[in-house]
Amino acid sequence: MAERPTRSGGPRGDRGGDRRGATPMRSMAELNQVAAAPVVAAQAVVDLPAPKKDAQGRSYATGKRKNAVARVWIKPGKGQFTVNGREGNIYFARPVLRMLIRQPFLVANRTEQFDVYATVTGGGLSGQAGAVRHGISKALTFFEPGLRPNLKKVGFLTRDSRVVERKKYGRAKARRSFQFSKR
């Protein structure tokens, strides 16, 4: 008997974590493989949109994650990174958060080529780092439209819509019940 595919396309409810066509990266090794691959060249048939730059030669984008919103400007430079007026390595002290922010540059093979200035509000540090990554990815596509296929492939242009579920009345948290006492 052949297995029928479910709505998600996989056999018997296998969702596979694939949402909206972008396959998420599961390890740094996968990310390094994508970074090592050549940047997809623009086909002659498809005209790329013109780069979006302001008078100072910067590209701007807004990134979002959880309750955090990041306004990000990038311009060619030496790799300086400023968040809310502080150095990026001081603001995001955890190495995991710094790695998260560097990912778009690794995929695009543009490490240490852009200066980043960001202002972030809302959420915690993890959400803010995700918002900055989203903003950097979008700003890179505005600065160099040819980078869009690689950034889209690894899922950096998709806004991660997962947010914390609200607390319900009669519950300790969103779903957790209060401790039951028989006596």
Side-chain angles (χ1 to χ4, degrees), residues 154-172:
V154 293
F156 290 165
L157 296 177
T158 305
R159 193 249 200 248
D160 191 351
S161 60
R162 295 175 297 169
V163 292
V164 178
E165 190 175 350
R166 76 170 191 89
K167 183 193 178 302
K168 280 76 170 188
Y169 62 88
R171 297 279 175 171

Side-chain angles (χ1 to χ4, degrees), residues 95-115:
V96 173
L97 300 179
R98 284 185 290 207
M99 176 207 63
L100 193 75
I101 291 168
R102 280 195 310 265
Q103 286 176 342
F105 295 118
L106 290 173
V107 169
N109 291 325
R110 302 286 189 269
T111 54
E112 307 297 321
Q113 293 182 19
F114 288 97
D115 290 342

Side-chain angles (χ1 to χ4, degrees), residues 61-95:
T62 304
K64 296 181 180 181
R65 170 80 169 97
K66 294 186 179 180
N67 284 332
V69 179
R71 301 184 316 156
V72 178
W73 290 266
I74 64 166
K75 65 178 182 178
K78 298 176 181 156
Q80 294 179 350
F81 183 57
T82 308
V83 180
N84 291 350
R86 293 163 55 189
E87 189 179 329
N89 291 338
I90 294 172
Y91 192 87
F92 294 113
R94 282 185 272 167

